[in-house]
């Protein structure tokens, strides 16, 4: 199975400041069609996960544009341009290149 | 609006069985690639099983041979039949609508159920 790692695992943030989370995969997630099979999800406290980014950089419907995904191959980044209080929760990356899909361990984002 | 409503969790003894349900509204399950993801207490997310629009199924090794994913088109509902349950199956189980990337690959899960808790304990 493809192993996913994330850093940091804990990220205290200040509202109004930017934030960044790194995700790495043990194998390249770039397919010959040019797409990276990498999703980002946010699980807010007490809630189900919600999709933020798919194909590494495509923002899901309804996701604020302060969220952006970048990267290719094995290295990916989720950036929040200006953190808001409602962005707290655990962020997961997930590879969809192979079955079974595998998630990273999660990055817990909370307010300083 | 697309929505998933889950039911069927609970407390079960080791070796027992349980069936989880995931009722869809606002879309048709047979037109989509549906999956189950679980989250053990204080742990991360784990991919469990998916079913394609054509009915093809895939399972994580940890549940293969014990869990069965299925659907009822008349009820627009997806199920997860869980047999021979073990303590390590204790988790919150989420169903989700995803997209099919071929060969059982599932991602871009844009609609999630509210989650249902399964506790395996004597």
């Amino acid at each position: 199975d493809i192993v996913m790692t994330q850093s940091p695992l804990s990220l205290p943030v200040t509202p109004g400041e930017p934030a960044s989370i790194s995700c790495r995969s043990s194998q390249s997630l770039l397919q010959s069609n040019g797409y990276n099979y990498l999703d980002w999800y946010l699980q807010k406290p007490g809630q189900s996960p919600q999709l933020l980014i798919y194909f590494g950089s495509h923002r899901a419907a309804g996701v604020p544009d302060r969220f952006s995904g970048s990267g290719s191959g094995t290295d990916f980044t989720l950036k929040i341009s200006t953190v808001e209080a409602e962005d707290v929760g655990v962020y997961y990356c997930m590879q969809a290149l192979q079955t079974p899909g595998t998630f990273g361990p999660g990055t817990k984002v909370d307010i300083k | 609006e697309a929505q998933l409503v889950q039911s069927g969790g609970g407390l079960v003894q080791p070796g027992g069985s349980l069936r989880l349900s995931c009722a869809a509204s606002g879309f048709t399950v047979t037109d989509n690639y549906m999956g189950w993801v679980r989250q053990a207490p204080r742990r991360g997310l784990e991919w469990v099983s998916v079913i394609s629009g054509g009915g093809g199924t895939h399972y994580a090794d940890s549940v293969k041979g014990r869990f069965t994913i299925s659907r009822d088109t008349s009820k627009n509902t997806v199920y997860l039949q869980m047999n021979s349950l073990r303590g390590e199956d204790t988790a919150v189980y989420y169903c989700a609508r995803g997209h099919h990337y071929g060969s059982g690959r599932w991602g871009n899960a844009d609609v999630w159920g509210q989650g249902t808790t399964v506790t395996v304990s004597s």
Side-chain angles (χ1 to χ4, degrees):
Chain A
D1 295 356
I2 296 177
V3 177
M4 306 298 291
T5 57
Q6 292 180 230
S7 63
L9 298 183
S10 178
L11 181 61
V13 297
T14 300
E17 295 294 310
S20 179
I21 299 170
S22 174
C23 172
R24 289 186 173 177
S25 57
S26 61
Q27 300 177 37
S28 174
L29 302 183
L30 178 63
Q31 200 171 19
S32 56
N33 59 8
Y35 289 110
N36 286 281
Y37 286 74
L38 187 283
D39 297 342
W40 287 98
Y41 297 91
L42 164 60
Q43 187 174 31
K44 295 182 178 181
Q47 296 187 19
S48 304
Q50 59 186 85
L51 177 69
L52 296 176
I53 303 288
Y54 62 97
F55 286 153
S57 61
H58 294 237
R59 198 177 304 115
V63 174
D65 60 8
R66 64 180 180 273
F67 291 94
S68 64
S70 63
S72 184
T74 61
D75 292 304
F76 300 89
T77 302
L78 177 72
K79 293 182 179 178
I80 309 173
S81 60
T82 307
V83 172
E84 297 190 5
E86 65 183 27
D87 299 335
V88 299
V90 182
Y91 290 76
Y92 295 94
C93 59
M94 188 201 86
Q95 67 81 15
L97 183 69
Q98 291 184 4
T99 300
T102 46
F103 292 87
T107 294
K108 185 175 183 180
V109 172
D110 57 12
I111 302 297
K112 283 183 181 176
Chain B
E1 179 191 3
Q3 192 176 10
L4 295 168
V5 177
Q6 300 180 225
S7 59
L11 173 64
V12 62
Q13 292 186 338
S17 298
L18 210 55
R19 188 178 80 160
L20 306 183
S21 300
C22 173
S25 60
F27 70 96
T28 303
V29 297
T30 50
D31 290 338
N32 290 271
Y33 210 57
M34 303 298 295
W36 290 92
V37 172
R38 68 184 179 183
Q39 185 170 35
R42 297 170 297 282
R43 300 290 295 275
L45 301 171
E46 180 186 12
W47 185 104
V48 175
S49 179
V50 295
I51 184 166
S52 72
T57 59
H58 299 269
Y59 300 92
D61 286 346
S62 58
V63 306
K64 199 172 294 182
R66 301 187 299 123
F67 289 13
T68 302
I69 189 172
S70 64
R71 64 198 182 179
D72 184 330
T73 55
S74 66
K75 296 181 179 179
N76 206 28
T77 297
V78 177
Y79 302 99
L80 186 67
Q81 176 68 43
M82 304 183 294
N83 299 330
S84 302
L85 282 162
R86 307 166 180 167
E88 54 264 37
D89 296 318
T90 295
V92 175
Y93 285 73
Y94 297 98
C95 67
R97 179 182 79 173
H99 289 73
H100 187 206
Y101 299 140
S103 302
R105 299 176 300 166
W106 175 91
N108 188 357
D110 61 350
V111 181
W112 292 70
Q114 82 277 19
T116 186
T117 301
V118 172
T119 303
V120 183
S121 175
S122 54

